[in-house]
Amino acid sequence: MSIASGLRGRHLTRRLVQLYVGLALYGISSALLVRAGLGLEPWGVLHQGLAEKTGLTIGVVSIGVGAVVLLLWIPIRQRPGLGTVSNVFVVGLAMDATLALVPDLDGLAAGIALMVLGIVLNGAATGLYIAARLGPGPRDGLMTGLHRLTGRSIRLVRTAIEIAVVATGFVLGGSVGVGTVLYALCIGPLAQFFLRRFAIPEADAASGAPEAGSDTPDAAPGVPDVAPSPVPTPAP
């Protein structure tokens, strides 16, 4: 599959809109979790930890990590789509833009409200961009590539990756908390719920659009790179 693969068939405009709206919302939702201050999603923990150590913004770190992960696709013979490359840049840019606009909040009640909003928006974003079927996110592609290469289950591979990511991010200073746990429990069901709501008519699949191959599907797919276990994985 080339980067331009899937850019044909019916509903192309809708698919492109879903892709970029979903990726932007993913970055926005991740930024809201940062402002909530109650724990980030697994990859967000790593991004924040690296940002703390390097002095770079968390969005720039997200872009850098996404690019490095994408390079890891080469030895495991994964092929990117438009959504894959877009994921690397759009999520990080949207995240930094949101952090520049949304100030730190005071009070536990405000933090809880922002955390819940961030998790729900993340689920909606995952459903939007996965349903576009324009390629999995870098982190999800890594998961499915290792699954294919090792023969281990998607659940095991994803769990191992995310435990390693959270542990490394925590050691570097990333935020782990109730938000991290709640995200892990809710993102799969939320992604699956929204994926069904934003699904493109199946007739379009015959046009050559790539299947939702992961990011959360595996769970749902590809959540930008998210769900701890398969859903129907996302992005972000």
Side-chain angles (χ1 to χ4, degrees):
M1 175 177 70
S2 67
I3 291 178
S5 176
L7 296 181
R8 57 184 180 274
R10 300 174 55 201
H11 310 295
L12 176 58
T13 299
R14 175 182 167 181
R15 290 167 61 212
L16 288 170
V17 170
Q18 281 196 198
L19 170 67
Y20 289 107
V21 170
L23 292 177
L25 280 179
Y26 197 94
I28 291 170
S29 66
S30 295
L32 294 182
L33 290 175
V34 172
R35 288 293 183 243
L38 295 172
L40 305 180
E41 74 277 18
W43 284 92
V45 176
L46 176 61
H47 298 157
Q48 188 181 55
L50 288 171
E52 291 286 336
K53 294 299 182 183
T54 62
L56 299 173
T57 68
I58 192 169
V60 169
V61 169
S62 173
I63 292 172
V65 170
V68 170
V69 172
L70 195 54
L71 289 176
L72 296 177
W73 281 31
I74 297 174
I76 59 177
R77 298 182 180 179
Q78 290 284 93
R79 295 181 181 179
L82 176 64
T84 309
V85 177
S86 298
N87 181 297
V88 172
F89 297 99
V90 176
V91 172
L93 293 174
M95 195 172 182
D96 274 352
T98 304
L99 289 172
L101 294 173
V102 178
D104 288 320
L105 299 179
D106 294 324
L108 181 60
I112 291 174
L114 209 56
M115 175 188 69
V116 172
L117 177 60
I119 292 173
V120 173
L121 277 182
N122 195 282
T126 296
L128 277 166
Y129 103 76
I130 288 174
R133 297 198 305 275
L134 288 168
R139 299 158 186 81
D140 292 311
L142 175 64
M143 172 191 63
T144 54
L146 290 175
H147 156 68
R148 177 175 49 79
L149 199 65
T150 65
R152 302 295 184 179
S153 70
I154 287 287
R155 183 182 301 274
L156 177 61
V157 172
R158 187 170 201 112
T159 299
I161 290 174
E162 295 196 349
I163 288 175
V165 164
V166 170
T168 302
F170 179 71
V171 169
L172 292 173
S175 175
V176 176
V178 64
T180 309
V181 176
L182 189 62
Y183 181 92
L185 294 174
C186 295
I187 191 60
L190 283 170
Q192 185 166 350
F193 173 82
F194 285 111
L195 183 60
R196 288 170 176 167
R197 295 302 177 277
F198 299 129
I200 306 292
E202 282 301 317
D204 197 42
S207 69
E211 292 301 317
S214 11
D215 268 70
T216 280
D218 357 303
V223 186
D225 303 331
V226 199
S229 63
V231 195
T233 34

